[in-house]
Amino acid sequence: MKASTRSAAAGRARTRRTRTRTGAWVSRGRDPREPDGRDAPEAKERDARASHGRDARGSRGRDARGSRGRDARGSRGRDAPRRGRQLAYSELEPRSLDEFTRRRKARKLIAVLAHFLGRDGEGAQALAGLRVLDIGCSAGFICDELAAAGAEVTGVDIDSAGLRRARARFARRARFIQADGLALPLADGTVDVVVLNHIYEHVVDADVLLAEVRRVLARDGLAYLGLGNRLGIMEPHHGLPLLSWLPPGLADRYLRAAGRGEHYYERYRSRPGLRRMLARAGLRAWDYTVPVLLAPEAFHAEADLPPGGPARGLLRAVTAPGRLPAPARAWLARAALPLAPTYLWVATPGSRGPAGHTLPGGPQPVT
């Protein structure tokens, strides 16, 4: 082996160390933190390469999906426009800047994580001492709530406008990296908790994304997954019924006919598809959808119930403790899961299970 080759190999080996002597996270190849809080040029160059469809290889010499050479490009030539939307998503989707709603979602996901960890009685510091990664952090509201719960927080996004807002307000509470979720600049096994909340449907390859989540998770780590359902009746981004049920060409026509846009970029999966996606990534999941529905006050989820109409009445009949016996309420809620708009899952790379107190309907393994 040539000396230059040996030197390069040794350099790569050194950069794969999961921690520095002080316990800080490190990237695969460099520490992405800059003294002035801006992205290093290498990060921008890497993101640019990823955004043009090149493969997102993990640190073990193959791509993060384990497909041995397949890249993260889609099959219909639509990836470049989708990635362009992601680069400025906070400017195109005002709801991502709705601070009140984002903080409410953060309190819900923190309550779910605390229950799974058996820390549901620890109050404000439920995530103390944990390294938490928020993928798709946008303006940083959820990162701020995670930090308030005691976590050491890193937010990752490719939305530069959203990250500018996050750094302007929360740089002292969390660090923010502009990076592609399909090639996370973190070493293997360096994260205790990953938050992936309504992100998978926006990326070029959700299988690569979940493989990256699995790669950076510590052996006993866990991931909070807020997953939109393809078979949800009302599509959440455009407010059109059954839009996500349609194949791409028909969905585009439907969107244009309704005057809501030119192309439908989101790619949802049904419950079986989501289950297969996690299995390919080597993750097991526990479903918190029903427990949160049956005990919304325990998870700060009261506002997630529909505001009115028949759906509100049906959900009230299911969730109100005095109207139906608890087993009947749990059975009805589970029967409706195939059409649930969102699933709340906690995934782990091992056999770990929920450690919190008993809940109505209890978290169930996703099988």
Side-chain angles (χ1 to χ4, degrees), residues 278-295:
L278 264 66
R280 283 192 290 269
L283 294 169
R284 299 174 66 251
W286 290 81
D287 193 340
Y288 272 79
T289 310
V290 169
V292 171
L293 179 66
L294 296 183

Side-chain angles (χ1 to χ4, degrees), residues 28-44:
R28 293 182 291 151
R30 65 173 185 85
D31 186 337
R33 290 172 291 182
E34 289 293 300
D36 61 359
R38 293 177 295 177
D39 302 314
E42 296 91 339
K44 294 180 180 178

Side-chain angles (χ1 to χ4, degrees), residues 162 210 359:
L210 266 292
L359 291 170

Side-chain angles (χ1 to χ4, degrees), residues 50 77 202:
H202 300 291

Side-chain angles (χ1 to χ4, degrees), residues 123-358:
Q125 292 292 296
L127 304 182
L130 298 178
R131 300 161 297 176
V132 179
L133 174 67
D134 181 13
I135 301 176
C137 65
S138 190
F141 302 124
I142 289 178
C143 287
D144 187 50
E145 293 287 336
L146 291 165
E152 177 191 346
V153 183
T154 294
V156 168
D157 209 314
I158 61 173
D159 177 0
S160 56
L163 288 173
R164 281 196 299 271
R165 291 183 172 92
R167 289 184 179 122
R169 291 189 60 183
F170 309 122
R172 295 191 179 187
R173 302 262 275 177
R175 68 169 182 162
F176 298 96
I177 305 171
Q178 184 169 9
D180 191 342
L182 306 185
L184 293 169
L186 299 172
D188 297 3
T190 52
V191 179
D192 298 311
V193 177
V194 172
V195 172
L196 191 72
N197 192 41
H198 294 283
I199 300 299
Y200 89 91
E201 69 270 19
H202 300 291
V203 305
V204 171
D205 194 321
D207 291 298
V208 172
L209 176 65
L210 266 292
E212 279 291 272
V213 169
R214 171 65 182 88
R215 181 184 66 77
V216 302
L217 272 178
R219 185 161 30 180
D220 61 346
L222 55 110
Y224 174 92
L225 306 176
L227 304 169
N229 177 16
R230 180 172 180 254
L231 298 182
I233 302 300
M234 187 65 70
E235 201 283 337
H237 294 93
H238 302 282
L240 295 174
L242 306 182
L243 176 62
S244 57
W245 293 43
L246 301 176
L250 287 177
D252 288 348
R253 294 176 195 172
Y254 183 15
L255 201 65
R256 288 194 288 269
R260 304 288 177 88
E262 289 296 315
H263 297 288
Y264 184 54
Y265 295 106
E266 287 70 28
R267 291 292 175 268
Y268 288 99
R269 304 188 186 195
S270 64
R271 185 179 176 87
L274 293 168
R275 189 169 59 240
R276 289 192 295 270
M277 180 175 72
L278 264 66
R280 283 192 290 269
L283 294 169
R284 299 174 66 251
W286 290 81
D287 193 340
Y288 272 79
T289 310
V290 169
V292 171
L293 179 66
L294 296 183
E297 68 289 341
F299 292 97
H300 309 282
E302 298 94 333
D304 290 347
L305 298 178
R312 175 76 171 191
L314 176 61
L315 282 175
R316 282 300 183 193
V318 170
T319 58
R323 298 190 181 181
L324 291 171
R329 291 189 292 123
W331 184 89
L332 285 172
R334 290 199 187 98
L337 279 178
L339 299 179
T342 299
Y343 298 121
L344 306 180
W345 293 356
V346 175
T348 71
S351 58
R352 189 174 187 177
H357 67 279
T358 301

